[in-house]
Amino acid sequence: MRSVGVEEELLLVDSRTGEPRALSAAVLAAASRDPQGAGEVFESELQRQQLEFATRPQTDMGDLEDEIRRWRAEAARHAEELDASVAALGTSPLEVSPTIGSGERHQWLKEHFGLTAQEQLTCGCHVHVSVESDEEGVAVLDRIRPWLPVLLAMSTNSPFWQGEDSGYSSYRNRVWGRWPSAGPVEVFGSADRYHEQVADMVASGVLRDEGMVYFDARLSHSYPTVEIRVADVCLDPSTTVLLATLIRGLVETAARQWRDGEPPARHGVALLRLAAWRAARSGLEDQLIHPVTMRPAPAEAVVRALFDHVRDALEDTGDVMPAQETLAGLLKSGTGARVQRELLCNTGSLHDVVTECVRRTLG
């Protein structure tokens, strides 16, 4: 059974005002003193108003969910010492002036990318799934490309930007897309071609190193995994686990197709960019572009097509029933973007939106 690991980026906010606070260094210092080993789990990110944690590789989705909930709670506990909270939000609903970290890498990004880096206070969710080799990993990347916008639609959790409704369900995706290496990619066909492309991108001088290859899905440069990076951080931890379950199913399904000699779909990058825009714009509230036909279809039908596509793999891991239940709840209650908009409609206050999302972050 393939192992799965999750990285989540969380927003650090003031406990009273809900405004983002540049406290990552202080929270990391508190975590480093924790006898439970939290210092090895949390990391800083580009902006000092955010904090990242990474789970261990897990094969059981119940264990993965326990760990996600645990580290969200630990992050909240350390933030509380500083009169702050953590919120699983893709962007801040309230106005913010982001503060880039002082490290050499972060300062290089600030110098070279200007406002793209300065404004990049966005929180995503990255899912790692183990692969046997780079060759298998690239075969997987080639075959999962059209399904990635569906995962984005299911995770959408960033409707607000600088105190305004952006009109998007995932404005994080639109902001993240400003990086020159971000977004969908072509079919590579082989691990050699993939590595050649990455080497050429770094050699261009635009990117600092391989870590700046921000494809929606890529080979991890640190672990023997494929890393799917398209999703917003999810408000509810159960949605994160649903995504991880479906992503593992996608990886296994793609690997089986490769072994059986089934070629990848040849949808062009231009169409994939349109599918990503559609998913970011409306989430699950309208139509999506169907990954097979590349034509519009109701969002629920597209999500169920994804489930059917990976069903055999989910059957083999025993994940069909729990995934079905979580998916039914997501389709009924909506994504984090819908939840945030409904909260604003009910309260009239973005501060209250943040307060409630802090509560929901801990499940």
Side-chain angles (χ1 to χ4, degrees):
M1 192 180 300
R2 297 181 189 272
S3 62
V4 183
V6 168
E7 298 170 352
E8 284 194 324
E9 296 163 348
L10 302 173
L11 199 62
L12 294 165
V13 300
D14 189 278
S15 295
R16 292 179 295 275
T17 68
E19 296 174 353
R21 293 183 62 190
L23 292 173
S24 59
V27 174
L28 287 171
S32 69
R33 299 189 293 268
D34 192 312
Q36 301 300 318
E40 300 176 2
V41 173
F42 296 109
E43 294 183 3
S44 62
E45 261 299 331
L46 174 63
Q47 305 291 356
R48 294 172 58 200
Q49 288 91 347
Q50 60 188 153
L51 185 72
E52 181 183 71
F53 72 83
T55 72
R56 295 167 297 177
Q58 301 284 359
T59 55
D60 181 88
M61 288 301 169
D63 292 340
L64 181 67
E65 181 165 3
D66 289 344
E67 193 166 351
I68 291 169
R69 291 179 183 274
R70 174 189 176 188
W71 295 124
R72 285 188 178 199
E74 285 296 297
R77 183 169 67 86
H78 293 301
E80 187 177 4
E81 299 173 16
L82 303 162
D83 294 324
S85 305
V86 295
L89 295 169
T91 55
S92 170
L94 296 166
E95 291 186 50
V96 56
S97 297
T99 309
I100 291 179
S102 59
E104 178 185 355
R105 181 184 185 81
H106 294 159
Q107 289 300 306
W108 186 92
L109 291 170
K110 178 181 179 180
E111 177 183 348
H112 283 75
F113 291 98
L115 282 178
T116 294
Q118 182 63 47
E119 295 180 347
Q120 196 64 236
L121 179 55
T122 63
C123 295
C125 172
H126 304 162
V127 178
H128 290 257
V129 181
S130 62
V131 289
E132 295 180 1
S133 65
D134 282 1
E135 204 65 47
E136 182 185 65
V138 172
V140 165
L141 297 180
D142 285 349
R143 287 162 177 78
I144 67 174
R145 296 184 318 138
W147 298 100
L148 298 180
V150 189
L151 300 172
L152 170 61
M154 296 172 66
S155 73
T156 50
N157 187 30
S158 49
F160 300 114
W161 183 256
Q162 294 292 13
E164 301 287 342
D165 193 316
S166 69
Y168 287 81
S169 293
S170 174
Y171 197 62
R172 178 207 65 85
N173 178 266
R174 300 294 86 197
V175 175
W176 183 256
R178 298 174 189 173
W179 293 112
S181 60
V185 292
E186 69 270 27
V187 171
F188 292 106
S190 69
D192 286 345
R193 177 70 188 108
Y194 176 93
H195 289 301
E196 179 185 348
Q197 172 95 336
V198 169
D200 284 344
M201 292 173 70
V202 175
S204 73
V206 175
L207 309 184
R208 179 183 170 98
D209 50 35
E210 187 176 332
M212 279 198 67
V213 175
Y214 295 148
F215 300 157
D216 286 343
R218 68 183 185 184
L219 295 182
S220 170
H221 62 278
S222 302
Y223 309 105
T225 65
V226 290
E227 181 185 1
I228 287 72
R229 305 165 49 84
V230 72
D232 283 8
V233 68
C234 298
L235 183 57
D236 192 307
S238 67
T239 308
T240 308
V241 177
L242 173 62
L243 286 179
T245 302
L246 295 175
I247 288 170
R248 177 166 68 175
L250 268 176
V251 171
E252 178 60 27
T253 300
R256 293 175 184 181
Q257 291 174 328
W258 171 60
R259 290 194 295 268
D260 291 342
E262 184 176 336
R266 291 283 173 173
H267 305 318
V269 171
L271 275 177
L272 297 180
R273 289 180 63 85
L274 294 179
W277 181 89
R278 180 74 268 171
R281 180 70 166 88
S282 55
L284 299 180
E285 302 303 308
D286 197 351
Q287 293 187 320
L288 295 173
I289 295 180
H290 197 292
V292 176
T293 66
M294 298 307 285
R295 296 294 184 268
E300 182 170 344
V302 174
V303 171
R304 295 200 182 280
L306 168 60
F307 196 92
D308 290 342
H309 178 68
V310 302
R311 181 183 288 272
D312 288 349
L314 300 189
E315 291 277 10
D316 291 344
T317 55
D319 290 321
V320 168
M321 288 302 295
Q324 277 183 327
E325 292 175 2
T326 307
L327 179 58
L330 178 65
L331 291 172
K332 179 180 179 181
S333 301
T335 66
R338 187 210 283 183
V339 169
Q340 289 188 58
R341 285 189 169 118
E342 289 177 347
L343 287 169
L344 179 61
C345 182
N346 292 334
T347 66
S349 165
L350 287 174
H351 168 268
D352 290 345
V353 171
V354 176
T355 299
E356 176 60 15
C357 288
V358 165
R359 189 185 69 82
R360 294 189 183 213
T361 293
L362 301 182

